[in-house]
Structures are given as structure tokens and as C-alpha cells.
Amino acid sequence: MVMTITDVHGRDLRYFLAVAEELHFTRAAERLYVSQPALSKQIRALERQLGAPLFDRDRHGVRLTEVGTALLPHARAVLAAWAEAEGAVRAARAAREATLVIGMSTSPGRGGLLPAIRSRFTEAHPEARLRLRQIGWDDPTAGLADGTSDLAFVWLPLVDAERYRWVVVATEPRLIALSERHPLAGRDRIAFADLLDEPFLALPGEVAPELRDHWLALDARDARPARIGAEIGSTDETYEALVDGLGICLVAEGNAPLLTRGGVVVRPVDGVTPTRFALAWRADDPRPLVHDYARAAAEAVSGTPANVRQL
């Protein structure tokens, strides 16, 4: 019978190595925290697998056979390599467990929010790593829904809201962005009632209806449908559509600088409610790192200690 390396387990090699180094079955058993009969049985099973004795046993003691002597350096090398592999796996697992992926489709750069959260979080968890991940507008959960983000900065409302918990990090007016050539661009403020017949830029159709409707302000239209001038999936697409006069759009106050690069203006608009920007996480995620990051966000916003379970 031909034996392959897969026939021998690490335990077999550890037992063999203990006996080979002690040259005494009782001492080897004590070193391994097993009974001497169990150790002897395991060595005999290994010898059967190898098809040759590993030890000579007589009244004078225990000695390695030629086969045992040949196996010894390889057993040591295999066990050393496995110990190194186990260490690498532990390190990789620890790094993974100590890494938080923070998703975002809009930069949360509001008033130094990210540095404020990071400083509070890393003070408690200096070993943890934070990785920011940019997500397209087609995923309003910024990676939470498919598990590719541990936490995410998102705009409310969230679809399937019962799946998530969140802390609001900014409540901002919704402004109206329009081409500087638009007839209403000269006003200091604009009533939303004057915009009901205007073509609006809308989020892509595959985005959750709740979020798409929010940025079309359907709640302020008295059941009048919105006119869609174009769909936009990024900041650059929005800017180009505004410059080209394809439509107008609502924008959070904190995001206005992303669009006012020339050719586009933003104006306060009356008749629409503010929008809320939040840090969200999955409701069923029990990891302390996740909750501690959320707590750091709540404290960065409020300036006072927060209990994340009450958020």
C-alpha cells in the first residue's frame, strides 16, 4: 500500500516527536497530557501507516529506528511550518477582526467629522484599522446591504430600515442647484412651489424609491408627479447635467461646494424639509468595534458621551 502525506495528521507527528525527544513513553505522555496507553496506541497506528517501526522498545529503553531517525527532521520541519501557518492565520484573522470598512457614497467631510470620529475611536482602539470605501449612488446603503461595509455614511431614509441602526451626524437644509443661466438663478431664495413644473435630475431608477423620492421632494408636491429631466449617478454627472440645463436638483447644504464649480449656483429653497445624513450599521451586528465606532460618531456630533444602544 502506498501512503500519501494526507494519511498522517499533525497529532501523529506531535506524538512521534515527543517520544523521539524524550525516548520514554511515560515522560512523553506527561508532556502531551495524554495517557501512556493512548500514546502507545497512536504510535503503533502511525507505524502501521508507515509500514515500518519507528522505535525499538526493550528492557533497556526506547531508541529510534533508522526509519524513525529519517522521519525526525521532517516531522520537526512539518510541525514548525504548521505552527508558522497557524500564526499567520491568527494574525490575519486578528487584522480582519480589527479592521472596519466604512462605506460612503457622499464624503462625510462636514466640519472635520471624520477626524473627530477617528480620534475618539482610535483612542479606545489603537490596534484597529479603518478603511474608507467609496460606493456608487446605485447602492443607497453604501455596502451595508451586501455586507461589504461594516458601517456606512448614508442619506435617510434607508430602505428596509428595520435592518439597520443609525446615528444622525448632520441635519442640513436642502438647497436647489441650477444652471447660472436658469431664469430663477437671480433670486436670493426660491419657493419650491415655483419649481413644480421644472425638470428635475433624479437618482437612477434602480435606487430605492424612498431615497429617489426624497431628493425629488415628493412630499412637498401635493401628489403632483415630478418631471424627470435626466438620471444622474455621480457628482460629476450631476454637475454636467446642471451645466447643460437638463434639469435642476435638490442638494444637501454640505454637498453644495461639490457642484458650484462654475456655471452652477445653489439657492435656499422654501417649502421643503431638511435632509438627514447618518452613520448606519446592521442591526444584527454584535461586534464591539462596530458599536464603539458608532458611539464615537455620536460623541463627535454631540460633544458628550453616548450610549450606542440608545441610538
Side-chain angles (χ1 to χ4, degrees):
M1 180 179 69
V2 177
M3 187 204 71
T4 66
I5 192 64
T6 55
D7 296 320
V8 177
H9 301 286
R11 182 187 61 180
D12 301 323
L13 294 180
R14 284 195 297 273
Y15 282 14
F16 162 73
L17 186 60
V19 177
E21 291 178 344
E22 298 290 341
L23 292 179
H24 195 284
F25 272 81
T26 300
R27 288 197 299 269
E30 291 173 350
R31 169 175 155 181
L32 294 166
Y33 300 100
V34 298
S35 68
Q36 188 270 325
L39 175 59
S40 296
K41 179 180 178 181
Q42 199 66 37
I43 293 296
R44 287 194 297 270
L46 178 58
E47 289 175 327
R48 285 195 300 271
Q49 283 184 280
L50 294 173
L54 297 171
F55 300 98
D56 286 328
R57 310 162 181 84
D58 57 31
R59 60 187 179 87
H60 299 293
V62 177
R63 297 179 303 279
L64 282 165
T65 65
E66 291 183 0
V67 173
T69 300
L71 177 62
L72 182 57
H74 300 288
R76 284 175 171 151
V78 169
L79 291 173
W82 181 245
E84 186 176 347
E86 286 182 318
V89 169
R90 283 194 300 271
R93 187 172 60 216
R96 179 180 177 183
E97 291 172 352
T99 299
L100 287 181
V101 179
I102 314 297
M104 62 184 70
S105 53
T106 298
S107 173
R110 290 149 167 79
L113 178 62
L114 272 179
I117 297 174
R118 178 185 290 272
S119 64
R120 285 170 169 80
F121 177 74
T122 55
E123 182 177 0
H125 298 283
E127 79 291 350
R129 294 189 299 171
L130 301 175
R131 183 165 69 87
L132 301 180
R133 180 169 176 259
Q134 190 71 32
I135 311 292
W137 289 1
D138 56 336
D139 179 5
T141 72
L144 287 181
D146 63 10
T148 55
S149 296
D150 298 309
L151 302 102
F153 289 96
V154 298
W155 291 104
L156 301 180
L158 270 173
V159 66
D160 297 330
E162 68 279 357
R163 293 183 57 193
Y164 308 104
R165 299 290 182 268
W166 59 81
V167 52
V168 174
V169 297
T171 299
E172 299 177 354
R174 282 183 285 179
L175 310 179
I176 196 71
L178 60 169
S179 166
E180 64 181 10
R181 301 188 306 272
H182 194 282
L184 298 177
R187 295 188 184 181
D188 292 331
R189 303 186 66 89
I190 302 174
F192 191 72
D194 293 337
L195 302 173
L196 295 178
D197 294 325
E198 294 286 334
F200 268 68
L201 306 179
L203 291 172
E206 59 269 22
V207 167
E210 295 92 333
L211 196 61
R212 179 179 163 108
D213 292 349
H214 175 72
W215 291 105
L216 292 173
L218 255 60
D219 59 338
R221 291 179 177 272
D222 294 327
R224 293 177 61 177
R227 289 182 57 202
I228 306 301
E231 291 188 345
I232 37 91
S234 69
T235 300
D236 288 339
E237 287 183 16
T238 305
Y239 174 75
E240 295 297 335
L242 288 168
V243 170
D244 290 343
L246 300 181
I248 61 177
C249 70
L250 290 167
V251 58
E253 183 178 54
N255 287 346
L258 301 176
L259 298 177
T260 52
R261 316 175 201 168
V264 173
V265 297
V266 296
R267 296 289 183 261
V269 58
D270 298 320
V272 295
T273 57
T275 190
R276 295 181 299 160
F277 193 50
L279 174 72
W281 62 97
R282 287 178 293 278
D284 61 358
D285 194 332
R287 290 175 295 167
L289 280 184
V290 169
H291 291 267
D292 286 351
Y293 189 87
R295 182 179 296 108
E299 293 175 357
V301 172
S302 68
T304 59
N307 184 345
V308 72
R309 296 189 181 276
Q310 297 175 357
L311 298 176

PDB file of all heavy atoms in Angstrom, residues 85-111:
ATOM      1  N   ALA A  85       2.215  28.628  10.026  1.00  0.00           N
ATOM      2  CA  ALA A  85       0.960  28.856   9.301  1.00  0.00           C
ATOM      3  C   ALA A  85      -0.153  29.257  10.262  1.00  0.00           C
ATOM      4  O   ALA A  85      -0.950  30.165   9.976  1.00  0.00           O
ATOM      5  CB  ALA A  85       0.564  27.599   8.528  1.00  0.00           C
ATOM      6  N   GLU A  86      -0.219  28.592  11.410  1.00  0.00           N
ATOM      7  CA  GLU A  86      -1.234  28.942  12.403  1.00  0.00           C
ATOM      8  C   GLU A  86      -1.046  30.380  12.886  1.00  0.00           C
ATOM      9  O   GLU A  86      -2.018  31.117  13.058  1.00  0.00           O
ATOM     10  CB  GLU A  86      -1.156  27.980  13.593  1.00  0.00           C
ATOM     11  CG  GLU A  86      -1.715  26.599  13.305  1.00  0.00           C
ATOM     12  CD  GLU A  86      -1.669  25.705  14.527  1.00  0.00           C
ATOM     13  OE1 GLU A  86      -0.648  25.747  15.237  1.00  0.00           O
ATOM     14  OE2 GLU A  86      -2.659  24.989  14.773  1.00  0.00           O
ATOM     15  N   GLY A  87       0.202  30.774  13.074  1.00  0.00           N
ATOM     16  CA  GLY A  87       0.471  32.151  13.490  1.00  0.00           C
ATOM     17  C   GLY A  87       0.038  33.146  12.440  1.00  0.00           C
ATOM     18  O   GLY A  87      -0.541  34.200  12.765  1.00  0.00           O
ATOM     19  N   ALA A  88       0.294  32.806  11.168  1.00  0.00           N
ATOM     20  CA  ALA A  88      -0.109  33.706  10.090  1.00  0.00           C
ATOM     21  C   ALA A  88      -1.629  33.820  10.015  1.00  0.00           C
ATOM     22  O   ALA A  88      -2.178  34.910   9.801  1.00  0.00           O
ATOM     23  CB  ALA A  88       0.447  33.209   8.760  1.00  0.00           C
ATOM     24  N   VAL A  89      -2.310  32.676  10.207  1.00  0.00           N
ATOM     25  CA  VAL A  89      -3.774  32.697  10.181  1.00  0.00           C
ATOM     26  C   VAL A  89      -4.320  33.525  11.344  1.00  0.00           C
ATOM     27  O   VAL A  89      -5.246  34.320  11.174  1.00  0.00           O
ATOM     28  CB  VAL A  89      -4.328  31.256  10.225  1.00  0.00           C
ATOM     29  CG1 VAL A  89      -5.836  31.266  10.481  1.00  0.00           C
ATOM     30  CG2 VAL A  89      -4.022  30.532   8.918  1.00  0.00           C
ATOM     31  N   ARG A  90      -3.741  33.332  12.530  1.00  0.00           N
ATOM     32  CA  ARG A  90      -4.196  34.118  13.686  1.00  0.00           C
ATOM     33  C   ARG A  90      -3.991  35.608  13.451  1.00  0.00           C
ATOM     34  O   ARG A  90      -4.857  36.427  13.777  1.00  0.00           O
ATOM     35  CB  ARG A  90      -3.454  33.668  14.945  1.00  0.00           C
ATOM     36  CG  ARG A  90      -3.954  32.362  15.538  1.00  0.00           C
ATOM     37  CD  ARG A  90      -3.421  32.169  16.950  1.00  0.00           C
ATOM     38  NE  ARG A  90      -1.962  32.129  16.980  1.00  0.00           N
ATOM     39  CZ  ARG A  90      -1.243  31.027  16.847  1.00  0.00           C
ATOM     40  NH1 ARG A  90      -1.847  29.862  16.648  1.00  0.00           N
ATOM     41  NH2 ARG A  90       0.076  31.072  16.902  1.00  0.00           N
ATOM     42  N   ALA A  91      -2.833  35.949  12.881  1.00  0.00           N
ATOM     43  CA  ALA A  91      -2.555  37.364  12.621  1.00  0.00           C
ATOM     44  C   ALA A  91      -3.522  37.939  11.604  1.00  0.00           C
ATOM     45  O   ALA A  91      -4.027  39.052  11.756  1.00  0.00           O
ATOM     46  CB  ALA A  91      -1.119  37.537  12.144  1.00  0.00           C
ATOM     47  N   ALA A  92      -3.792  37.151  10.537  1.00  0.00           N
ATOM     48  CA  ALA A  92      -4.712  37.621   9.504  1.00  0.00           C
ATOM     49  C   ALA A  92      -6.122  37.760  10.054  1.00  0.00           C
ATOM     50  O   ALA A  92      -6.839  38.718   9.747  1.00  0.00           O
ATOM     51  CB  ALA A  92      -4.698  36.664   8.311  1.00  0.00           C
ATOM     52  N   ARG A  93      -6.522  36.790  10.879  1.00  0.00           N
ATOM     53  CA  ARG A  93      -7.862  36.862  11.465  1.00  0.00           C
ATOM     54  C   ARG A  93      -7.980  38.047  12.415  1.00  0.00           C
ATOM     55  O   ARG A  93      -8.987  38.751  12.423  1.00  0.00           O
ATOM     56  CB  ARG A  93      -8.164  35.559  12.204  1.00  0.00           C
ATOM     57  CG  ARG A  93      -9.612  35.465  12.705  1.00  0.00           C
ATOM     58  CD  ARG A  93      -9.902  34.076  13.257  1.00  0.00           C
ATOM     59  NE  ARG A  93      -9.013  33.773  14.359  1.00  0.00           N
ATOM     60  CZ  ARG A  93      -8.515  32.558  14.613  1.00  0.00           C
ATOM     61  NH1 ARG A  93      -8.794  31.559  13.795  1.00  0.00           N
ATOM     62  NH2 ARG A  93      -7.732  32.361  15.655  1.00  0.00           N
ATOM     63  N   ALA A  94      -6.936  38.260  13.209  1.00  0.00           N
ATOM     64  CA  ALA A  94      -6.963  39.395  14.136  1.00  0.00           C
ATOM     65  C   ALA A  94      -7.017  40.714  13.380  1.00  0.00           C
ATOM     66  O   ALA A  94      -7.743  41.637  13.765  1.00  0.00           O
ATOM     67  CB  ALA A  94      -5.731  39.355  15.043  1.00  0.00           C
ATOM     68  N   ALA A  95      -6.247  40.785  12.274  1.00  0.00           N
ATOM     69  CA  ALA A  95      -6.258  42.012  11.474  1.00  0.00           C
ATOM     70  C   ALA A  95      -7.632  42.242  10.859  1.00  0.00           C
ATOM     71  O   ALA A  95      -8.145  43.362  10.823  1.00  0.00           O
ATOM     72  CB  ALA A  95      -5.200  41.936  10.385  1.00  0.00           C
ATOM     73  N   ARG A  96      -8.237  41.144  10.393  1.00  0.00           N
ATOM     74  CA  ARG A  96      -9.572  41.276   9.797  1.00  0.00           C
ATOM     75  C   ARG A  96     -10.592  41.712  10.841  1.00  0.00           C
ATOM     76  O   ARG A  96     -11.426  42.578  10.592  1.00  0.00           O
ATOM     77  CB  ARG A  96      -9.995  39.941   9.181  1.00  0.00           C
ATOM     78  CG  ARG A  96     -11.385  39.969   8.567  1.00  0.00           C
ATOM     79  CD  ARG A  96     -11.749  38.638   7.977  1.00  0.00           C
ATOM     80  NE  ARG A  96     -13.111  38.654   7.453  1.00  0.00           N
ATOM     81  CZ  ARG A  96     -13.734  37.606   6.927  1.00  0.00           C
ATOM     82  NH1 ARG A  96     -13.105  36.458   6.838  1.00  0.00           N
ATOM     83  NH2 ARG A  96     -14.962  37.710   6.485  1.00  0.00           N
ATOM     84  N   GLU A  97     -10.511  41.102  12.024  1.00  0.00           N
ATOM     85  CA  GLU A  97     -11.475  41.435  13.070  1.00  0.00           C
ATOM     86  C   GLU A  97     -11.248  42.835  13.624  1.00  0.00           C
ATOM     87  O   GLU A  97     -12.151  43.440  14.182  1.00  0.00           O
ATOM     88  CB  GLU A  97     -11.381  40.395  14.185  1.00  0.00           C
ATOM     89  CG  GLU A  97     -11.892  39.016  13.750  1.00  0.00           C
ATOM     90  CD  GLU A  97     -11.634  37.940  14.788  1.00  0.00           C
ATOM     91  OE1 GLU A  97     -10.921  38.245  15.781  1.00  0.00           O
ATOM     92  OE2 GLU A  97     -12.131  36.815  14.601  1.00  0.00           O
ATOM     93  N   ALA A  98     -10.022  43.350  13.459  1.00  0.00           N
ATOM     94  CA  ALA A  98      -9.707  44.684  13.961  1.00  0.00           C
ATOM     95  C   ALA A  98      -9.772  45.739  12.868  1.00  0.00           C
ATOM     96  O   ALA A  98      -9.320  46.855  13.064  1.00  0.00           O
ATOM     97  CB  ALA A  98      -8.318  44.691  14.608  1.00  0.00           C
ATOM     98  N   THR A  99     -10.316  45.378  11.701  1.00  0.00           N
ATOM     99  CA  THR A  99     -10.464  46.316  10.593  1.00  0.00           C
ATOM    100  C   THR A  99     -11.940  46.609  10.366  1.00  0.00           C
ATOM    101  O   THR A  99     -12.748  45.684  10.275  1.00  0.00           O
ATOM    102  CB  THR A  99      -9.848  45.758   9.304  1.00  0.00           C
ATOM    103  OG1 THR A  99      -8.450  45.543   9.490  1.00  0.00           O
ATOM    104  CG2 THR A  99     -10.050  46.707   8.141  1.00  0.00           C
ATOM    105  N   LEU A 100     -12.266  47.874  10.301  1.00  0.00           N
ATOM    106  CA  LEU A 100     -13.628  48.278   9.977  1.00  0.00           C
ATOM    107  C   LEU A 100     -13.638  48.933   8.605  1.00  0.00           C
ATOM    108  O   LEU A 100     -12.828  49.826   8.332  1.00  0.00           O
ATOM    109  CB  LEU A 100     -14.174  49.266  11.013  1.00  0.00           C
ATOM    110  CG  LEU A 100     -14.535  48.707  12.388  1.00  0.00           C
ATOM    111  CD1 LEU A 100     -15.069  49.822  13.277  1.00  0.00           C
ATOM    112  CD2 LEU A 100     -15.558  47.584  12.274  1.00  0.00           C
ATOM    113  N   VAL A 101     -14.545  48.483   7.757  1.00  0.00           N
ATOM    114  CA  VAL A 101     -14.722  49.077   6.440  1.00  0.00           C
ATOM    115  C   VAL A 101     -15.879  50.059   6.528  1.00  0.00           C
ATOM    116  O   VAL A 101     -17.003  49.683   6.883  1.00  0.00           O
ATOM    117  CB  VAL A 101     -15.003  48.005   5.376  1.00  0.00           C
ATOM    118  CG1 VAL A 101     -15.212  48.652   4.011  1.00  0.00           C
ATOM    119  CG2 VAL A 101     -13.852  46.995   5.314  1.00  0.00           C
ATOM    120  N   ILE A 102     -15.590  51.317   6.230  1.00  0.00           N
ATOM    121  CA  ILE A 102     -16.594  52.375   6.319  1.00  0.00           C
ATOM    122  C   ILE A 102     -16.997  52.767   4.905  1.00  0.00           C
ATOM    123  O   ILE A 102     -16.200  53.318   4.149  1.00  0.00           O
ATOM    124  CB  ILE A 102     -16.047  53.614   7.064  1.00  0.00           C
ATOM    125  CG1 ILE A 102     -15.307  53.200   8.337  1.00  0.00           C
ATOM    126  CG2 ILE A 102     -17.173  54.590   7.340  1.00  0.00           C
ATOM    127  CD1 ILE A 102     -16.153  52.526   9.366  1.00  0.00           C
ATOM    128  N   GLY A 103     -18.220  52.461   4.529  1.00  0.00           N
ATOM    129  CA  GLY A 103     -18.705  52.792   3.196  1.00  0.00           C
ATOM    130  C   GLY A 103     -19.259  54.205   3.137  1.00  0.00           C
ATOM    131  O   GLY A 103     -19.714  54.758   4.144  1.00  0.00           O
ATOM    132  N   MET A 104     -19.222  54.777   1.954  1.00  0.00           N
ATOM    133  CA  MET A 104     -19.797  56.112   1.767  1.00  0.00           C
ATOM    134  C   MET A 104     -20.016  56.342   0.279  1.00  0.00           C
ATOM    135  O   MET A 104     -19.223  55.922  -0.555  1.00  0.00           O
ATOM    136  CB  MET A 104     -18.868  57.189   2.324  1.00  0.00           C
ATOM    137  CG  MET A 104     -17.504  57.264   1.667  1.00  0.00           C
ATOM    138  SD  MET A 104     -16.433  58.480   2.455  1.00  0.00           S
ATOM    139  CE  MET A 104     -16.137  57.646   4.006  1.00  0.00           C
ATOM    140  N   SER A 105     -21.107  56.983  -0.059  1.00  0.00           N
ATOM    141  CA  SER A 105     -21.321  57.448  -1.422  1.00  0.00           C
ATOM    142  C   SER A 105     -21.199  58.963  -1.479  1.00  0.00           C
ATOM    143  O   SER A 105     -21.049  59.543  -2.542  1.00  0.00           O
ATOM    144  CB  SER A 105     -22.702  57.014  -1.942  1.00  0.00           C
ATOM    145  OG  SER A 105     -23.721  57.410  -1.054  1.00  0.00           O
ATOM    146  N   THR A 106     -21.267  59.601  -0.312  1.00  0.00           N
ATOM    147  CA  THR A 106     -21.031  61.031  -0.169  1.00  0.00           C
ATOM    148  C   THR A 106     -20.005  61.220   0.926  1.00  0.00           C
ATOM    149  O   THR A 106     -20.115  60.613   1.996  1.00  0.00           O
ATOM    150  CB  THR A 106     -22.325  61.773   0.218  1.00  0.00           C
ATOM    151  OG1 THR A 106     -23.280  61.616  -0.823  1.00  0.00           O
ATOM    152  CG2 THR A 106     -22.059  63.253   0.435  1.00  0.00           C
ATOM    153  N   SER A 107     -19.006  62.026   0.670  1.00  0.00           N
ATOM    154  CA  SER A 107     -17.963  62.240   1.670  1.00  0.00           C
ATOM    155  C   SER A 107     -18.542  62.921   2.903  1.00  0.00           C
ATOM    156  O   SER A 107     -19.203  63.949   2.795  1.00  0.00           O
ATOM    157  CB  SER A 107     -16.834  63.097   1.094  1.00  0.00           C
ATOM    158  OG  SER A 107     -15.914  63.441   2.109  1.00  0.00           O
ATOM    159  N   PRO A 108     -18.273  62.354   4.089  1.00  0.00           N
ATOM    160  CA  PRO A 108     -18.764  62.982   5.321  1.00  0.00           C
ATOM    161  C   PRO A 108     -17.785  64.018   5.848  1.00  0.00           C
ATOM    162  O   PRO A 108     -17.470  64.062   7.038  1.00  0.00           O
ATOM    163  CB  PRO A 108     -18.878  61.790   6.280  1.00  0.00           C
ATOM    164  CG  PRO A 108     -17.777  60.888   5.831  1.00  0.00           C
ATOM    165  CD  PRO A 108     -17.640  61.066   4.333  1.00  0.00           C
ATOM    166  N   GLY A 109     -17.289  64.878   4.997  1.00  0.00           N
ATOM    167  CA  GLY A 109     -16.253  65.822   5.383  1.00  0.00           C
ATOM    168  C   GLY A 109     -16.756  67.008   6.162  1.00  0.00           C
ATOM    169  O   GLY A 109     -16.040  67.977   6.342  1.00  0.00           O
ATOM    170  N   ARG A 110     -17.979  66.967   6.615  1.00  0.00           N
ATOM    171  CA  ARG A 110     -18.633  68.099   7.253  1.00  0.00           C
ATOM    172  C   ARG A 110     -17.961  68.501   8.564  1.00  0.00           C
ATOM    173  O   ARG A 110     -18.034  67.771   9.550  1.00  0.00           O
ATOM    174  CB  ARG A 110     -20.096  67.732   7.513  1.00  0.00           C
ATOM    175  CG  ARG A 110     -20.885  67.636   6.224  1.00  0.00           C
ATOM    176  CD  ARG A 110     -22.004  66.629   6.301  1.00  0.00           C
ATOM    177  NE  ARG A 110     -22.889  66.792   5.171  1.00  0.00           N
ATOM    178  CZ  ARG A 110     -22.626  66.333   3.956  1.00  0.00           C
ATOM    179  NH1 ARG A 110     -21.495  65.692   3.721  1.00  0.00           N
ATOM    180  NH2 ARG A 110     -23.482  66.513   2.971  1.00  0.00           N
ATOM    181  N   GLY A 111     -17.313  69.662   8.544  1.00  0.00           N
ATOM    182  CA  GLY A 111     -16.744  70.225   9.750  1.00  0.00           C
ATOM    183  C   GLY A 111     -15.746  69.325  10.451  1.00  0.00           C
ATOM    184  O   GLY A 111     -15.694  69.293  11.678  1.00  0.00           O
TER     185      GLY A 111
END
